[in-house]
Amino acid sequence: MGYYICVETGVNIYVEDINREGRRTILFVHGWPANHRMFEYQFAALGRQGYRCIGLDTRGFGNSDKPAHGYSYDRMADDIRAVVEALQLQDITLGGHSTGGGVAIRYMARHNGYGVAKLALFAAAAPSLIQRPYFPYGLQRQAVEQIIAATHNDRPQMLRDFGNMFFFQHVTEALADWFFQMGLQAANWATAAVAESWLDEEELFTDLGKINVPTLILHGIHDRVCRFPLAEAQHQGIAGSRLVPFEESGHGLFYDQRDKFNEELARFVAE
């Protein structure tokens, strides 16, 4: 079932709600530049196991409204709060991929984990996607600036280039095009604005220490977008967290090793 939730005046977020009668709920926050459909292999498998799976399209992406503003981690975390309140969700597992993982971390810190019993991070863009003087493990700032420039100049080619570094396992041309089409659904300005937020966002370093729920970290060791040392930093910064390396995965670990991914996530939710 799909529907819209108003998160602020004039801005509606699209939500796909699978198996509403499920015994436990997982709220998925997708990564840049995709939408909720990137988790369709999780919705299918986990839905069959009796879980309620909710996927939202963050503002500017997928079927959600595409305003000119509101692409900071704070605002996107506030959008999650609006969804949680509107659906009256309690004791859920909040799962986020890439930028969605960073936004999920911000949600936990900014909203004190409202409604969340467990946190799952999938190749999360945290504590920093880019290299900083005190954190040399991310992408070079120049690489992100080139992504932003390419978004403004030739977004389809930028999306093709990004797709080429997303998966570690071989994917068919059809699947690569499926991922490409998700990126095209986003607004140009939203795609660029979220990428610009990667350059400015530094508070995730302190946000990690504010997380006080069981946390699962799934991360591919061949990730070329959010490199594996980011996962190690998350593990170090979140007390009691569990890190599971994916030996045959890149950034798209939910597809590269989807059976392992689904098994690890289902086990964590059921614990």
Side-chain angles (χ1 to χ4, degrees):
M1 175 182 291
Y3 42 83
Y4 286 90
I5 293 173
C6 181
V7 296
E8 67 170 328
T9 302
V11 180
N12 297 296
I13 294 295
Y14 180 78
V15 171
E16 192 73 33
D17 197 344
I18 296 97
N19 195 26
R20 295 186 67 181
E21 304 305 317
R23 63 185 183 275
R24 298 189 184 185
T25 300
I26 310 168
L27 175 59
F28 291 85
V29 185
H30 65 83
W32 178 97
N35 55 57
H36 77 277
R37 292 189 298 124
M38 73 184 298
F39 293 117
E40 68 176 51
Y41 295 98
Q42 284 64 58
F43 297 158
L46 297 172
R48 286 195 300 268
Q49 295 178 47
Y51 295 101
R52 180 185 184 185
C53 297
I54 303 173
L56 61 83
D57 289 346
T58 58
R59 62 171 61 206
F61 296 81
N63 295 325
S64 287
D65 287 347
K66 299 171 174 61
H69 65 279
Y71 297 101
S72 69
Y73 279 41
D74 284 355
R75 179 61 255 186
M76 291 189 287
D78 292 349
D79 290 349
I80 293 175
R81 173 66 182 256
V83 170
V84 171
E85 289 185 342
L87 299 181
Q88 300 181 338
L89 301 178
Q90 297 179 353
D91 298 325
I92 67 169
T93 296
L94 177 63
H97 175 261
S98 194
T99 299
V103 173
I105 290 170
R106 173 55 46 79
Y107 177 84
M108 298 301 295
R110 184 173 171 85
H111 294 284
N112 196 31
Y114 179 84
V116 177
K118 296 180 180 181
L119 176 67
L121 302 173
F122 323 133
S128 176
L129 182 69
I130 68 168
Q131 296 176 8
R132 302 186 187 277
Y134 49 88
F135 189 76
Y137 306 111
L139 300 176
Q140 292 184 355
R141 184 183 185 93
Q142 183 181 13
V144 173
E145 291 172 342
Q146 289 173 347
I147 288 173
I148 296 168
T151 299
H152 290 305
N153 184 56
D154 187 345
R155 185 166 66 103
Q157 186 61 56
M158 181 280 294
L159 293 171
R160 286 292 189 197
D161 293 340
F162 184 72
N164 289 338
M165 63 186 296
F166 195 87
F167 301 101
F168 177 69
Q169 300 288 350
H170 171 75
V171 298
T172 63
E173 182 178 347
L175 191 133
D177 190 61
W178 166 76
F179 184 75
F180 172 70
Q181 293 297 330
M182 276 194 281
L184 286 180
Q185 278 192 278
N188 176 297
W189 54 91
T191 304
V194 172
E196 288 166 359
S197 74
W198 302 336
L199 301 177
D200 301 329
E201 183 56 66
E202 296 188 62
E203 294 182 19
L204 290 174
F205 287 93
T206 55
D207 287 349
L208 293 176
K210 299 176 182 179
I211 296 171
N212 57 8
V213 299
T215 301
L216 175 68
I217 302 167
L218 306 179
H219 212 109
I221 66 171
H222 302 287
D223 196 326
R224 292 190 287 162
V225 180
C226 297
R227 294 168 179 166
F228 191 73
L230 273 66
E232 296 174 323
Q234 296 160 29
H235 181 45
Q236 182 176 4
I238 302 174
S241 60
R242 183 165 83 242
L243 170 59
V244 180
F246 278 54
E247 304 290 340
E248 299 298 328
S249 288
H251 197 52
L253 71 167
F254 56 89
Y255 183 82
D256 280 334
Q257 291 182 266
R258 66 173 179 257
D259 289 343
K260 177 180 174 66
F261 183 98
N262 294 342
E263 289 168 5
E264 292 287 353
L265 182 56
R267 183 181 305 116
F268 174 66
V269 175
E271 289 174 348

